[in-house]
Amino acid sequence: MIEVKHLTKRYGEHLAVDDLSFTIEDGQIYGFLGPNGAGKSTTMNIMTGCLAATSGDVTIDGLDIFEDAAQAKRLIGYLPEQPPLYPDRTPREYLRFVAEAKRVPPSEIRGQIDRVLDITQTAGVADRLIKNLSKGYRQRVGIAQALLGSPRVIILDEPTVGLDPKQIVEIRDLIKDLGREHTVILSSHILSEVQAICTTILIISEGRLVACDTAENLEKLFAGSVSVELDVDADEEEAGRIVSSLPAVSKSEISKRPDGGSHLRLEAGSEYSDSVCRELSLAFAGSGHAVLQMTTSKASLEDIFIELTGSEKEADKT
């Protein structure tokens, strides 16, 4: 559906987007994830034709966003981080203006406005001034304008920024609903948001794509070792003897507990992630000792994000 090839954007000496390439397929919700200043907004502005690239190509259903701009833009609905609203108009008035700007046929405008008001659940506030609406409703009106013209792709830049927890959940549910009929791309630096909504995650750092996969596959790919902590009623020497006999255990630290038992911190290869707990339990039980407590942990999406991008930056967004 969308092909981004060798996209580059420079602002003077600053390289905001660095030879970026990826493909967006139909019928999925994509999360564009990265620290502030990673180049997410710059990339989205180029993909929607709002900003020229220094070099590279973007095609929407085979149409070049720069050379076939008018046709390509009809396939895209875009919500910038700051929704382009007119506070002294009502949502209905504003949506009519947007529909006319998008060249929706006059005979279809009323029906399209009613449809997007219904989808975004804003019909009840359609005749109130936008400046009197809550942040959540203003965001919904912004999404409604992106839906006018029935675009195949909806691009949302930080759609939940500045919302309270209840509004965030409502907007997330709305985005999931949109994903049933549209290809959706949303940018965020909030890990939980992307993981909750998106089927595919693209991680960008310093203008470069560093990963593209499902959250589950990324966690498997970067899982590495599995960490296990357990308390047993065996002393340190006996506990060491037992774990040393297990091929699943690649590393171990053993300390004495006040009750005479042992606390163990172990690592096992990712290939043993589903079996190491069972092997440990059977090994200690077979030697006549009880496992009092056991916990495991694997690489989370947060761990992967930090590994691929470094700690989040406080730089301004590009």
Side-chain angles (χ1 to χ4, degrees):
M1 180 61 188
I2 300 179
E3 290 278 350
V4 175
K5 297 180 180 179
H6 304 294
L7 196 65
T8 299
K9 179 62 180 180
R10 289 184 178 275
Y11 295 101
E13 295 298 316
H14 175 61
L15 185 60
V17 179
D18 185 6
D19 194 31
L20 188 63
S21 298
F22 58 87
T23 300
I24 300 295
E25 303 289 349
D26 275 334
Q28 296 191 50
I29 302 178
Y30 286 81
F32 210 40
L33 180 64
N36 289 332
K40 304 185 302 295
S41 293
T42 297
T43 302
M44 286 189 157
N45 280 323
I46 295 173
M47 289 171 63
T48 56
C50 297
L51 183 67
T54 302
S55 62
D57 301 297
V58 178
T59 57
I60 316 290
D61 200 23
L63 298 169
D64 189 285
I65 193 64
F66 308 117
E67 296 180 3
D68 307 302
Q71 290 177 282
K73 287 180 180 180
R74 290 193 181 98
L75 301 176
I76 299 172
Y78 181 40
L79 175 68
E81 184 176 348
Q82 298 296 327
L85 305 178
Y86 295 117
D88 291 323
R89 293 193 177 189
T90 67
R92 196 183 303 278
E93 292 169 341
Y94 167 68
L95 292 173
R96 175 170 289 278
F97 168 78
V98 173
E100 291 172 350
K102 288 187 174 185
R103 298 183 179 178
V104 174
S107 61
E108 299 178 13
I109 288 178
R110 181 172 180 178
Q112 287 218 23
I113 290 174
D114 289 342
R115 180 180 66 86
V116 300
L117 287 172
D118 181 60
I119 291 172
T120 57
Q121 299 180 19
T122 49
V125 297
D127 299 307
R128 294 171 55 186
L129 291 179
I130 290 174
K131 67 181 179 182
N132 294 330
L133 300 181
S134 68
K135 172 72 173 177
Y137 270 118
R138 291 198 298 272
Q139 200 75 339
R140 287 174 178 271
V141 173
I143 294 174
Q145 65 80 27
L147 293 171
L148 287 170
S150 302
R152 292 176 59 184
V153 181
I154 306 297
I155 298 180
L156 310 171
D157 191 1
E158 300 281 3
T160 61
V161 67
L163 302 182
D164 66 35
K166 181 175 183 294
Q167 293 168 338
I168 288 173
V169 171
E170 291 171 348
I171 294 298
R172 285 179 182 175
D173 289 342
L174 173 57
I175 293 170
K176 289 178 184 178
D177 290 341
L178 294 178
R180 297 190 178 101
E181 296 186 11
H182 303 268
T183 298
V184 180
I185 306 169
L186 67 93
S187 77
S188 180
H189 62 278
I190 302 173
L191 295 165
S192 59
E193 179 166 275
V194 171
Q195 194 163 17
I197 299 174
C198 302
T199 53
T200 301
I201 297 172
L202 298 92
I203 301 179
I204 187 172
S205 177
E206 298 182 346
R208 292 188 174 190
L209 186 70
V210 293
C212 178
D213 212 326
T214 64
E216 181 180 3
N217 285 344
L218 285 171
E219 288 174 351
K220 287 180 180 178
L221 180 63
F222 288 90
S225 61
V226 179
S227 298
V228 183
E229 291 197 33
L230 66 159
D231 293 321
V232 297
D233 65 0
D235 61 28
E236 294 173 88
E237 182 178 352
E238 178 68 359
R241 182 191 67 78
I242 293 170
V243 297
S244 65
S245 68
L246 300 178
V249 178
S250 59
K251 182 180 178 181
S252 64
E253 295 180 10
I254 306 174
S255 58
K256 185 176 181 180
R257 284 167 45 90
D259 60 5
S262 302
H263 177 77
L264 296 87
R265 294 182 179 179
L266 312 176
E267 287 190 10
S270 58
E271 67 270 27
Y272 297 105
S273 61
D274 297 325
S275 62
V276 64
C277 291
R278 182 174 184 274
E279 289 188 25
L280 285 165
S281 297
L282 290 174
F284 278 97
S287 297
H289 298 285
V291 174
L292 307 175
Q293 178 176 291
M294 186 184 306
T295 59
T296 63
S297 61
K298 303 177 184 179
S300 66
L301 184 58
E302 180 175 302
D303 297 325
I304 295 163
F305 181 81
I306 292 172
E307 180 177 344
L308 292 174
T309 67
S311 59
E312 288 207 18
K313 301 175 182 178
E314 297 300 325
D316 293 335
K317 289 188 72 182
T318 57

